[in-house]
Amino acid sequence: MYSVNAIATSAEPPQWVLTLSCIDGPGIVHAISGAVVAAGGNIEESQQFASRDTGRFFMRLQVGAVAPGGPEAPAPFEERFARALAPVTERYRMTWRLDTVGRPVRTLLLASTATHCVNDLLYRQRNGQVRIDVPLILSNHTTARDIADFYGVPFEHRAISGAEDKAAFEARVLDVVEEQRIELVVLARYMQILSPGLCEALAGRAINIHHSFLPGFKGANPYRQAHARGVKLIGATAHFVTTDLDEGPIIEQDVVRVDHSYSPAELMQLGQDEEARTLRRAVTWFAENRILLDGDRTIIFR
Amino acid sequence: MYSVNAIATSAEPPQWVLTLSCIDGPGIVHAISGAVVAAGGNIEESQQFASRDTGRFFMRLQVGAVAPGGPEAPAPFEERFARALAPVTERYRMTWRLDTVGRPVRTLLLASTATHCVNDLLYRQRNGQVRIDVPLILSNHTTARDIADFYGVPFEHRAISGAEDKAAFEARVLDVVEEQRIELVVLARYMQILSPGLCEALAGRAINIHHSFLPGFKGANPYRQAHARGVKLIGATAHFVTTDLDEGPIIEQDVVRVDHSYSPAELMQLGQDEEARTLRRAVTWFAENRILLDGDRTIIFR
Amino acid sequence: MYSVNAIATSAEPPQWVLTLSCIDGPGIVHAISGAVVAAGGNIEESQQFASRDTGRFFMRLQVGAVAPGGPEAPAPFEERFARALAPVTERYRMTWRLDTVGRPVRTLLLASTATHCVNDLLYRQRNGQVRIDVPLILSNHTTARDIADFYGVPFEHRAISGAEDKAAFEARVLDVVEEQRIELVVLARYMQILSPGLCEALAGRAINIHHSFLPGFKGANPYRQAHARGVKLIGATAHFVTTDLDEGPIIEQDVVRVDHSYSPAELMQLGQDEEARTLRRAVTWFAENRILLDGDRTIIFR
Amino acid sequence: MYSVNAIATSAEPPQWVLTLSCIDGPGIVHAISGAVVAAGGNIEESQQFASRDTGRFFMRLQVGAVAPGGPEAPAPFEERFARALAPVTERYRMTWRLDTVGRPVRTLLLASTATHCVNDLLYRQRNGQVRIDVPLILSNHTTARDIADFYGVPFEHRAISGAEDKAAFEARVLDVVEEQRIELVVLARYMQILSPGLCEALAGRAINIHHSFLPGFKGANPYRQAHARGVKLIGATAHFVTTDLDEGPIIEQDVVRVDHSYSPAELMQLGQDEEARTLRRAVTWFAENRILLDGDRTIIFR
């Protein structure tokens, strides 16, 4: 995800966010902060983490421009910053990404019948809480159409009744990703299993949400199984999509308390509320460049 | 658990607790409340639940004695109540149990090396928060001995280094259960797997605690696995012991939030805090006759 | 609230809910359950509570019809039940209410600029999670209009710029309550203080939501104050409206964790999420007849 | 708290923790990380925060020694680090503190009758979870004596029955603080109000714990008031002691859910559990140099 060294172009907001990772070692922070100083910037927010598992170092910086300063003055800040960063990122062989704080992330929503996640994301997108642009909702059902209409988001229905339909649906996903310069694909209760090819094509930029229980239940109708086992907590997990079904790097999890009196239907409704909340947080953090990958684990710089 | 129709004998506290279950049908509450009235009692607290899964009806009543009233006056309340209940429990073929509110439950603690659950239960037992009497702690390690000494609880160490030792340990458990009239066996981080025979002998009166994760992890060193997967919540589950390892009816669950910066050791420490809290609740509810079994599910009348 | 002995008329759902309160004493449950039996009903769900503070007894019953049974057969169940209840409610001088389970409660929403509570309630009303009918949204601002339009709910704007406007607004509230047979008024972030007269007219059937902090903050801009004090939890309280501003009987409360890095604006956004969730629960419980009043305290039969 | 530039002496653990604050401006991180590099160190963990409220910058670094390197090789790392830091801390007029990671903080516990906080801290101190040394427990009651004995901690009882006793108690506190080089005073349910003089003498190094409610309650017997108002959450707040009673900078807060059926006594017991948990966290963070003060707010670098 971080190998695309995108430089955001919006000049409006006065902050930039730099995320990076490299093999841990002395002097990294000093070198990075030196580039900030050289570009005439100020560190507004900074988080870092040294992983003992992989020996890698991770950092997220929010930087503001202080003053024109010196010979770089005419150039926009992000150019100056990128120029000052170049020798550092090269020397430490960093994977990095520079973005503008607050820039909405171009997001494709995939949906099926359930609308709770789509509704929650669009409501919060509109009120500014979740910084995403949604050029399209692609669904194999029509239930989300009127919500899409209300929020003025294009909606495209493609029924899936066989392998051929599914392949066509996935091809359409890849086309949209390219045509619309999609940065994030959100499986907002899209209930089809992605093909391995699509999983790989979207690695690190596709987020899925699913219910979670203690203990976990495999197979169909998990809320019925959870009811049968009398669980006391039901929850949701948002994770990156990988070819291991529902086993990608975990981004966020949450639970809610239930008791013996809840029917499977009530468990499902509460579970859906948790799904919407949990997915919303994962999408927000992605849009704010707060999620980095350390092997199979996520680093969340909240 | 409820087939032993124990009648508690302490006359001091003025309330009794009746728990019962039977096949659901009209008139049950009316019949039971009629017995309360006939015995000169008053319902202080009542909870009930009709299970759609099994078609059974469950009830927990706390009853106080109102007045001597009528010809039964000389008899103690629980005798009058038991007499009034007899035709009702017979007619509806009820499984029932009558106990005194606040009577400490005779409890055997099984322990191994970790002491967090033993310490928590004994501290709360002493300050009156958890109503249990602990005539013995039986452990295959010695680490809990000084805590036991401090709280004045007999401690017995029996090392387990092979199948023979384990069989002897389990035989000792059954002896203590009988000699000491033990009502509840708590596996307070006792790390040996119980034999099927012992599980059956203690069915419905042995509580275990173990760590829980979303998703679940099988095998050794689960905190290391949880760390490797980057889970965001770690928790604990208290359940009745059955021959299905860690799959008995769930009594209570809880979780705590963690993030990428926690080491496996820190995850374990937080997990242990959750284990102590969760086990404490399960033991408290058991001691207060708040747990009933509906097939593989627990009904918790909190 | 419970003095209006409304008998719901929908014959469709096969369950009825009875809520009642009276001075505590022996025999109440027996008498009530006798009326259920006499009417040919079965108790599906029952909760009760004896208040030591006021000496009153509270009960909530869900009852299904078993069989036509006896000479009352031709009459609908709720008539038979009401007839059987009459001598009991009279004898114990009960305040009671009989309703149909699942009947949507006629609800008037009052709003101002913020739309998070209105949006949450209407979304959940439409998907069946919150059982209310909303014949009107009355607001002193226009921000909620398009959400109302989307959900097909009539919206009426009445600006308030002085005492006269406010009196007219409140008069309109009372008119709507009468004309539309409103059972519940929800102040969904309606930011005007209700006059004492309106508070009294709506006693026990108007729910307000507001932010809550540990410790509490009086005066303007509480999120700024909460930020200044560095609180670690922010929350929301749903309560019945009384003439004591924000001091009515508490129905539900919840909190979310924050830290030093949250700006006042971010605190407010998280606080609004909590407000929507907390209000939703309070409205749901009201619609399900789960809230009873014991002096200044609520009994919540969940 | 951070003006004492203590240099810890333990050579055993290979990490040091640096906390600092100064007026925010460009180049701070670069200068600090330069000192780390110059001393032959590596940044293992780093957190920072720029306060918009006060314009100050806050940082916490954990640093390990990489290599002897250069002419400073013979000197211990913390000496080299202190020498390299000197021009930086001077130039930015920093308040700073350098400590050894894992060094137990010398802590004086003040207690009264309730023992839940003392017990929790001592249990966790012994198992290594909370890094404190407790040379003395000073109490105006004797209830904590046997717990102190069990954990081998000196216990001193000084009854307080009037102003003179209290002044003597406080004088003894100050003596102990000096004689025992106390770094942290924990009011572990010490129920006397500290005099303004003592508050000032202990500013930034005394932590208090008290119950917290939504809304807050003033005056005696808050659990009874909370019960009377029917609160649904009860909690605890740990804060620094200031002359404003219970209004010092908040360190940590937590809550637990309750309902109408809890008696005042039960509320108190749950509240005490929350107090112990919340205080434990605050003490742990203090011992790990994770708490910095930004005016009346705490920065918690978890």
Side-chain angles (χ1 to χ4, degrees):
Chain A
M1 160 171 51
Y2 300 95
S3 59
V4 185
N5 299 328
I7 295 180
T9 50
S10 159
E12 195 77 352
Q15 286 196 27
W16 290 264
V17 56
L18 173 70
T19 49
L20 62 89
S21 77
C22 61
I23 294 168
D24 197 15
I28 300 171
V29 174
H30 191 55
I32 289 287
S33 56
V36 175
V37 170
N42 187 38
I43 299 174
E44 305 285 345
E45 198 180 315
S46 167
Q47 287 156 300
Q48 62 181 74
F49 178 67
S51 168
R52 299 191 177 189
D53 300 291
T54 60
R56 287 188 75 79
F57 174 84
F58 298 85
M59 194 170 199
R60 181 187 185 275
L61 281 177
Q62 279 191 208
V63 177
V66 178
E72 298 90 348
F77 176 79
E78 75 268 20
E79 274 183 34
R80 288 177 351 231
F81 191 25
R83 212 179 305 147
L85 277 174
V88 179
T89 57
E90 196 167 318
R91 175 169 145 218
Y92 289 96
R93 306 180 60 183
M94 290 174 176
T95 302
W96 62 286
R97 177 185 168 85
L98 183 59
D99 201 351
T100 309
V101 170
R103 183 182 65 84
V105 163
R106 293 187 67 76
T107 303
L108 169 64
L109 300 188
L110 304 187
S112 290
T113 45
T115 61
H116 52 288
C117 288
V118 169
N119 182 70
D120 190 272
L121 285 173
L122 294 186
Y123 175 74
R124 284 182 168 75
Q125 179 264 338
R126 189 171 70 165
N127 77 11
Q129 206 174 338
V130 179
R131 291 304 190 94
I132 51 174
D133 273 347
V134 183
L136 187 68
I137 299 172
L138 197 55
S139 177
N140 61 329
H141 289 270
T142 57
T143 37
R145 186 190 296 279
D146 60 350
I147 293 172
D149 289 352
F150 175 62
Y151 287 106
V153 174
F155 178 88
E156 185 176 318
H157 170 236
R158 287 181 169 254
I160 296 180
S161 57
E164 219 165 301
D165 291 341
K166 197 173 145 184
F169 192 101
E170 295 202 345
R172 179 66 181 134
V173 168
L174 287 175
D175 282 353
V176 173
V177 165
E178 195 178 334
E179 284 164 21
Q180 297 284 349
R181 291 162 291 115
I182 293 297
E183 299 166 283
L184 173 65
V185 176
V186 176
L187 281 67
R189 299 307 286 159
Y190 173 67
M191 300 306 283
Q192 300 282 323
I193 295 169
L194 297 200
S195 69
L198 190 59
C199 289
E200 271 158 41
L202 300 178
R205 48 183 181 150
I207 295 178
N208 192 18
I209 180 75
H210 64 81
H211 43 69
S212 293
F213 305 94
L214 303 163
F217 302 107
K218 300 281 182 192
N221 214 329
Y223 286 105
R224 190 162 295 281
Q225 288 188 66
H227 175 81
R229 282 276 282 131
V231 302
K232 307 306 181 191
L233 296 174
I234 59 171
T237 297
H239 62 95
F240 281 118
V241 172
T242 61
T243 49
D244 271 346
L245 177 65
D246 291 348
E247 294 279 320
I250 296 167
I251 300 169
E252 172 64 339
Q253 305 185 294
D254 213 344
V255 293
V256 66
R257 186 165 282 276
V258 297
D259 67 37
H260 60 268
S261 70
Y262 289 70
S263 68
E266 288 167 325
L267 293 183
M268 196 174 74
Q269 213 141 39
L270 281 172
Q272 290 186 343
D273 283 351
E274 284 309 299
E275 288 166 9
R277 291 176 71 201
T278 302
L279 180 59
R280 171 205 318 164
R281 284 192 213 126
V283 171
T284 302
W285 297 338
F286 185 94
E288 296 176 358
N289 290 291
R290 296 187 179 279
I291 313 175
L292 282 83
L293 271 170
D294 178 31
D296 293 336
R297 311 176 69 220
T298 58
I299 314 296
I300 311 285
F301 287 135
R302 298 173 68 173
Chain B
M1 161 170 50
Y2 300 95
S3 59
V4 184
N5 299 327
I7 294 180
T9 50
S10 159
E12 194 77 353
Q15 285 196 26
W16 290 264
V17 56
L18 173 69
T19 49
L20 62 89
S21 77
C22 61
I23 294 167
D24 196 18
I28 300 171
V29 175
H30 191 57
I32 288 288
S33 55
V36 175
V37 171
N42 187 37
I43 299 174
E44 305 286 344
E45 198 180 316
S46 166
Q47 287 154 300
Q48 63 182 74
F49 178 68
S51 168
R52 297 192 180 187
D53 300 290
T54 59
R56 289 188 73 80
F57 173 85
F58 299 86
M59 194 171 199
R60 181 186 186 276
L61 280 177
Q62 278 189 211
V63 178
V66 178
E72 298 90 349
F77 176 78
E78 75 268 19
E79 273 183 35
R80 289 177 350 231
F81 191 25
R83 212 179 305 147
L85 277 173
V88 179
T89 57
E90 195 166 321
R91 175 169 146 217
Y92 289 96
R93 306 179 60 183
M94 289 175 177
T95 302
W96 62 285
R97 175 183 170 87
L98 183 58
D99 201 351
T100 308
V101 170
R103 183 183 65 83
V105 163
R106 293 187 68 76
T107 303
L108 169 63
L109 300 189
L110 304 187
S112 291
T113 44
T115 61
H116 53 288
C117 288
V118 168
N119 183 69
D120 191 272
L121 286 173
L122 293 186
Y123 176 74
R124 285 180 168 75
Q125 179 266 339
R126 190 171 68 166
N127 78 9
Q129 207 173 338
V130 179
R131 290 304 189 94
I132 53 174
D133 273 347
V134 182
L136 186 66
I137 299 173
L138 197 55
S139 177
N140 60 329
H141 290 270
T142 56
T143 37
R145 186 191 297 278
D146 61 349
I147 293 172
D149 289 351
F150 176 62
Y151 287 107
V153 174
F155 179 89
E156 184 177 319
H157 171 236
R158 288 181 169 252
I160 297 181
S161 57
E164 217 165 302
D165 290 341
K166 197 172 145 183
F169 191 102
E170 294 203 344
R172 178 67 180 134
V173 168
L174 286 174
D175 281 354
V176 173
V177 166
E178 195 179 335
E179 283 164 21
Q180 297 284 350
R181 289 160 295 115
I182 294 296
E183 298 166 282
L184 172 64
V185 177
V186 177
L187 282 66
R189 298 307 287 161
Y190 173 65
M191 299 305 284
Q192 299 282 322
I193 295 170
L194 297 199
S195 68
L198 190 59
C199 290
E200 271 157 41
L202 300 178
R205 49 183 178 148
I207 295 177
N208 192 18
I209 180 75
H210 64 81
H211 43 72
S212 292
F213 305 94
L214 303 163
F217 302 107
K218 300 283 182 191
N221 213 329
Y223 286 103
R224 190 163 295 280
Q225 289 188 66
H227 174 81
R229 283 277 282 128
V231 301
K232 308 305 182 191
L233 296 174
I234 59 170
T237 297
H239 63 94
F240 281 120
V241 172
T242 62
T243 49
D244 271 344
L245 178 65
D246 291 346
E247 294 279 320
I250 296 168
I251 300 169
E252 172 64 339
Q253 305 184 293
D254 213 342
V255 292
V256 67
R257 186 165 282 274
V258 296
D259 66 37
H260 61 267
S261 71
Y262 289 70
S263 68
E266 288 168 324
L267 293 183
M268 196 174 76
Q269 210 141 41
L270 281 172
Q272 290 186 343
D273 283 351
E274 284 309 299
E275 288 166 8
R277 291 176 71 201
T278 303
L279 180 60
R280 171 206 319 165
R281 284 192 213 126
V283 171
T284 302
W285 297 338
F286 186 95
E288 296 176 359
N289 289 292
R290 296 187 179 279
I291 313 175
L292 283 83
L293 272 170
D294 179 30
D296 293 335
R297 310 175 70 220
T298 58
I299 314 296
I300 310 286
F301 287 135
R302 296 172 70 172
Chain C
M1 163 169 52
Y2 301 95
S3 59
V4 183
N5 300 329
I7 295 181
T9 50
S10 161
E12 195 78 353
Q15 287 196 24
W16 290 263
V17 54
L18 173 70
T19 49
L20 62 89
S21 76
C22 62
I23 294 166
D24 196 16
I28 300 171
V29 175
H30 191 57
I32 289 287
S33 56
V36 175
V37 171
N42 186 38
I43 299 174
E44 305 285 345
E45 198 181 314
S46 167
Q47 288 155 298
Q48 63 181 73
F49 179 68
S51 168
R52 298 191 178 188
D53 301 291
T54 59
R56 288 188 75 78
F57 173 85
F58 299 86
M59 194 171 201
R60 182 186 185 276
L61 279 178
Q62 279 190 210
V63 178
V66 178
E72 298 91 348
F77 176 79
E78 75 269 17
E79 274 184 35
R80 288 177 351 232
F81 191 25
R83 212 178 306 146
L85 277 173
V88 180
T89 56
E90 196 166 319
R91 175 169 146 219
Y92 289 95
R93 307 179 60 183
M94 289 174 177
T95 303
W96 63 287
R97 177 185 169 87
L98 184 58
D99 201 349
T100 309
V101 170
R103 183 183 65 83
V105 163
R106 294 188 66 78
T107 303
L108 169 64
L109 300 189
L110 304 187
S112 291
T113 46
T115 61
H116 53 288
C117 288
V118 169
N119 182 70
D120 191 271
L121 286 173
L122 293 186
Y123 175 75
R124 284 181 167 74
Q125 180 264 338
R126 189 171 69 165
N127 76 10
Q129 207 174 338
V130 178
R131 293 302 191 96
I132 52 174
D133 273 346
V134 182
L136 187 67
I137 299 172
L138 198 54
S139 177
N140 60 329
H141 290 270
T142 58
T143 38
R145 186 191 295 279
D146 60 350
I147 292 173
D149 289 352
F150 176 63
Y151 287 105
V153 174
F155 179 88
E156 185 176 319
H157 171 237
R158 287 180 170 256
I160 297 180
S161 56
E164 217 164 301
D165 290 341
K166 195 172 146 184
F169 192 101
E170 294 203 345
R172 178 67 180 134
V173 168
L174 287 173
D175 282 354
V176 173
V177 165
E178 194 177 336
E179 284 163 21
Q180 297 284 351
R181 290 161 295 115
I182 293 297
E183 299 167 283
L184 172 65
V185 177
V186 177
L187 282 66
R189 299 305 287 160
Y190 174 65
M191 300 305 285
Q192 300 282 323
I193 295 170
L194 297 200
S195 69
L198 190 59
C199 289
E200 270 158 41
L202 300 178
R205 50 183 180 147
I207 294 177
N208 192 18
I209 181 74
H210 64 82
H211 44 70
S212 292
F213 305 94
L214 304 163
F217 302 107
K218 301 283 184 192
N221 212 330
Y223 286 103
R224 191 163 295 281
Q225 289 188 66
H227 174 81
R229 282 277 282 130
V231 301
K232 308 305 181 192
L233 297 173
I234 59 170
T237 296
H239 63 95
F240 281 118
V241 172
T242 61
T243 50
D244 270 344
L245 177 65
D246 292 344
E247 295 278 322
I250 295 167
I251 300 169
E252 172 64 339
Q253 305 184 294
D254 213 342
V255 292
V256 67
R257 186 165 282 275
V258 296
D259 66 36
H260 61 268
S261 71
Y262 289 69
S263 68
E266 288 168 323
L267 293 183
M268 196 173 76
Q269 212 141 38
L270 280 172
Q272 290 186 343
D273 283 351
E274 283 310 299
E275 288 166 10
R277 291 176 72 200
T278 303
L279 180 60
R280 171 206 318 164
R281 285 193 212 124
V283 170
T284 301
W285 296 339
F286 186 95
E288 295 177 358
N289 290 291
R290 297 187 179 280
I291 312 174
L292 282 83
L293 272 170
D294 178 32
D296 292 336
R297 309 177 71 221
T298 59
I299 314 296
I300 311 285
F301 287 135
R302 297 174 70 171
Chain D
M1 163 171 46
Y2 300 94
S3 58
V4 184
N5 299 330
I7 294 181
T9 50
S10 160
E12 195 78 351
Q15 285 197 23
W16 289 264
V17 55
L18 172 70
T19 48
L20 61 89
S21 78
C22 61
I23 294 167
D24 196 15
I28 300 171
V29 175
H30 191 56
I32 289 287
S33 56
V36 174
V37 171
N42 186 39
I43 300 174
E44 305 285 344
E45 199 180 314
S46 166
Q47 288 154 299
Q48 63 182 72
F49 179 68
S51 169
R52 298 190 179 189
D53 301 291
T54 59
R56 288 187 75 78
F57 173 84
F58 298 86
M59 194 170 200
R60 181 187 186 276
L61 281 177
Q62 279 189 210
V63 177
V66 177
E72 297 90 349
F77 176 79
E78 75 268 18
E79 273 183 34
R80 292 179 343 235
F81 191 25
R83 213 179 305 146
L85 277 172
V88 179
T89 57
E90 194 166 320
R91 175 168 146 218
Y92 288 96
R93 306 180 61 181
M94 289 174 175
T95 303
W96 63 286
R97 176 184 170 86
L98 183 59
D99 202 350
T100 308
V101 170
R103 183 183 65 83
V105 163
R106 294 188 66 78
T107 303
L108 169 64
L109 300 189
L110 304 188
S112 291
T113 45
T115 61
H116 53 288
C117 288
V118 169
N119 182 69
D120 191 272
L121 286 173
L122 293 186
Y123 175 74
R124 284 180 167 74
Q125 180 265 338
R126 190 171 68 164
N127 76 11
Q129 208 174 338
V130 178
R131 292 301 190 96
I132 52 174
D133 273 345
V134 182
L136 186 67
I137 299 173
L138 198 55
S139 177
N140 61 330
H141 290 271
T142 56
T143 37
R145 186 191 295 279
D146 60 351
I147 293 172
D149 289 351
F150 176 61
Y151 287 106
V153 175
F155 179 89
E156 185 177 319
H157 171 237
R158 287 179 170 257
I160 297 180
S161 56
E164 216 165 303
D165 291 340
K166 197 172 144 184
F169 192 101
E170 295 203 344
R172 178 68 181 133
V173 169
L174 287 174
D175 282 353
V176 172
V177 166
E178 195 179 335
E179 283 163 20
Q180 298 284 350
R181 289 161 296 117
I182 293 297
E183 298 166 282
L184 172 65
V185 176
V186 176
L187 281 67
R189 298 307 286 159
Y190 174 66
M191 300 306 284
Q192 299 282 323
I193 296 170
L194 297 200
S195 68
L198 190 58
C199 290
E200 271 157 42
L202 300 177
R205 49 183 179 149
I207 295 177
N208 192 17
I209 180 73
H210 64 81
H211 43 71
S212 292
F213 305 95
L214 303 163
F217 301 108
K218 301 281 182 193
N221 214 330
Y223 286 103
R224 191 162 296 280
Q225 288 187 66
H227 175 82
R229 282 277 282 130
V231 300
K232 307 304 182 191
L233 296 174
I234 60 170
T237 297
H239 62 95
F240 282 119
V241 172
T242 62
T243 49
D244 270 346
L245 177 65
D246 292 346
E247 294 280 320
I250 295 167
I251 300 170
E252 172 63 341
Q253 305 186 294
D254 213 342
V255 292
V256 67
R257 185 165 283 276
V258 297
D259 67 37
H260 60 268
S261 70
Y262 289 70
S263 68
E266 288 168 324
L267 293 183
M268 197 173 74
Q269 211 141 40
L270 280 172
Q272 290 186 342
D273 283 350
E274 284 308 300
E275 289 166 9
R277 291 177 71 201
T278 303
L279 180 59
R280 171 206 319 165
R281 284 194 213 125
V283 170
T284 301
W285 296 338
F286 186 94
E288 296 177 358
N289 289 291
R290 295 186 180 281
I291 313 175
L292 282 83
L293 272 170
D294 179 30
D296 292 336
R297 310 175 70 220
T298 58
I299 314 296
I300 311 286
F301 287 134
R302 296 173 69 172

